[in-house]
């Protein structure tokens, strides 16, 4: 994934496992961004997405499980956005780690029950900060509607379209209107 003049990708070495790297197209300019899972363990789990010069991706560590991360291309600027499933449990499903971007907002499926099971995932959004990362809920009558098992993200005319799947595997198409913040 290109961000500015740099290309970001996952690469494997015996010393670091599979981790996030960047390159300006030269040997000297091809470097490890951060060893997220220190040592020979590997951390990547999803596609990389450029959101206005910030890289978003899901990464898996032994200590925090599979969570949403961001990077500005430096080691100190590469960090977990929020530990949604505290501890070693995974919030971002390893079965559906995809993310979408619409109007500077990143959307992803996450499960705060520590199961890492895509059947428990709900739609979340983030602006890249812990306080700006939350589950999307809509008031319907006297209760809050959540969006379970979100998938098939598509952006059209500044709206996020996605599907949800019920426990009986019935898919429903939704449209989420976002602000430009």
């Amino acid at each position: 994934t290109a961000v500015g003049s740099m290309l970001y990708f996952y690469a494997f070495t015996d010393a670091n496992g599979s981790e996030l790297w960047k390159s300006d197209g030269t040997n000297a300019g091809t470097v490890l961004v951060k060893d997220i899972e220190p040592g020979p363990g590997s951390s990547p789990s999803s596609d990389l997405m450029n959101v206005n010069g910030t890289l978003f991706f899901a990464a898996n560590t032994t200590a925090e499980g599979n969570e949403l991360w961001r990077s500005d291309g430096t080691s100190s600027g590469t960090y977990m956005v929020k530990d949604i499933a505290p501890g070693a449990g995974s919030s971002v499903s390893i079965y559906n780690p995809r993310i979408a971007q619409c109007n500077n907002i990143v959307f992803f499926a996450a499960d705060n029950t520590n199961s890492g099971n895509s059947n428990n995932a709900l739609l979340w959004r983030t602006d890249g900060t812990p306080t700006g990362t939350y589950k999307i809920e809509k008031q319907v009558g006297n209760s809050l509607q959540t969006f379970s098992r979100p998938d098939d993200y598509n952006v059209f005319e500044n709206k996020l379209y996605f599907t949800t799947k019920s426990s009986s595997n019935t898919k429903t198409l939704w449209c989420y209107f976002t602000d430009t913040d």
Side-chain angles (χ1 to χ4, degrees), residues 8 20 27 88 115 146 152 158:
Y8 290 83
L20 181 64
N27 278 341
S115 75
T146 57
D152 305 318
N158 294 321

Side-chain angles (χ1 to χ4, degrees), residues 28-92:
T30 303
V31 295
L32 174 70
V33 175
K34 183 171 188 157
D35 191 0
I36 294 170
E37 178 67 18
S42 297
S43 69
S45 71
S46 79
D47 295 333
L48 306 168
M49 178 168 282
N50 177 2
V51 179
N52 295 325
T54 300
L55 191 69
F56 284 87
F57 57 99
N60 194 359
T61 67
T62 304
E64 289 97 12
N66 205 43
E67 299 290 345
L68 186 68
W69 285 63
R70 62 177 286 168
S71 178
D72 67 0
T74 66
S75 181
S76 63
T78 302
Y79 53 88
M80 184 180 4
V81 174
K82 183 175 185 174
D83 194 0
I84 294 170
S90 293
S91 72
V92 177

Side-chain angles (χ1 to χ4, degrees), residues 78-154:
T78 302
Y79 53 88
M80 184 180 4
V81 174
K82 183 175 185 174
D83 194 0
I84 294 170
S90 293
S91 72
V92 177
S93 170
I94 59 173
Y95 305 107
N96 182 13
R98 295 182 324 114
I99 58 178
Q101 181 265 337
C102 183
N103 296 330
N104 302 323
I105 300 167
V106 174
F107 296 89
F108 60 103
D111 170 16
N112 61 353
T113 66
N114 284 323
S115 75
N117 182 337
S118 61
N119 288 329
N120 297 328
L122 299 173
L123 185 63
W124 285 64
R125 64 175 273 173
T126 187
D127 63 2
T129 66
T131 56
T133 302
Y134 54 89
K135 177 176 46 179
I136 296 175
E137 299 174 316
K138 179 182 175 188
Q139 188 73 35
V140 178
N142 292 330
S143 63
L144 287 177
Q145 163 82 42
T146 57
F147 300 99
S148 62
R149 299 166 68 187
D151 200 2
D152 305 318
Y153 308 122
N154 283 287

